[in-house]
């Protein structure tokens, strides 16, 4: 019979040269994705501003598609922000700066 507690969450943390890697690979991945989203949002907002000031009525659909893409990117941003926050918390737990689940450090 297996006596291990499967409710305990285990974390893995990369260690390089005896020191933990900060930011972690998970944090780096999330930050890179968020940076790419931010660049796309800037481009879309610039395009939207240009279209709004000089666009004929026929381009209203283009502005609407930009708005939909911005909404999708906002949802993606929020997902990556949650992942980044979870990875940062995991790092802090592993470094002993915060308590883990059920009071574990």
């Amino acid at each position: 019979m297996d006596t291990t507690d499967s409710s305990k969450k285990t974390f893995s943390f990369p260690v390089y040269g005896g020191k933990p890697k900060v930011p972690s690979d998970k944090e780096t991945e999330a930050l890179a994705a968020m940076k790419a989203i931010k660049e796309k949002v800037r481009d879309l907002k610039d395009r939207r501003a240009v279209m709004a000031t000089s666009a004929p009525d026929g381009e209203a659909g283009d502005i609407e598609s930009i708005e939909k893409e911005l909404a999708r990117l906002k949802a993606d941003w929020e997902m990556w922000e949650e992942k980044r926050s979870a990875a940062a918390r995991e790092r802090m737990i592993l470094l002993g700066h915060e308590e883990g689940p059920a009071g574990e450090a």
Side-chain angles (χ1 to χ4, degrees), residues 5 7-9 11 89 93 98-105:
D5 185 1
S7 67
K8 290 184 180 180
K9 190 171 186 177
F11 300 114
R89 176 153 167 68
I93 291 168
E98 290 185 16
E99 287 189 13
E104 297 173 22

Side-chain angles (χ1 to χ4, degrees), residues 12 20-21 23 26 47 49 51 60 63 66 74 82 87 91:
S12 62
K21 183 177 179 191
K26 290 178 184 178
R47 282 184 35 210
M51 293 172 108
I63 292 175
I66 288 173
K74 183 177 181 180
E82 287 177 18
R91 173 179 40 86

Side-chain angles (χ1 to χ4, degrees), residues 46-57:
D46 289 344
R47 282 184 35 210
R48 181 183 63 187
V50 168
M51 293 172 108
T53 58
S54 64
D57 292 335

Side-chain angles (χ1 to χ4, degrees), residues 74-98:
K74 183 177 181 180
D76 288 352
W77 177 275
E78 290 169 355
M79 178 207 51
W80 281 108
E81 176 61 28
E82 287 177 18
K83 287 184 178 186
R84 185 211 55 80
S85 180
R89 176 153 167 68
E90 179 179 321
R91 173 179 40 86
M92 295 301 281
I93 291 168
L94 290 169
L95 293 173
H97 299 296
E98 290 185 16

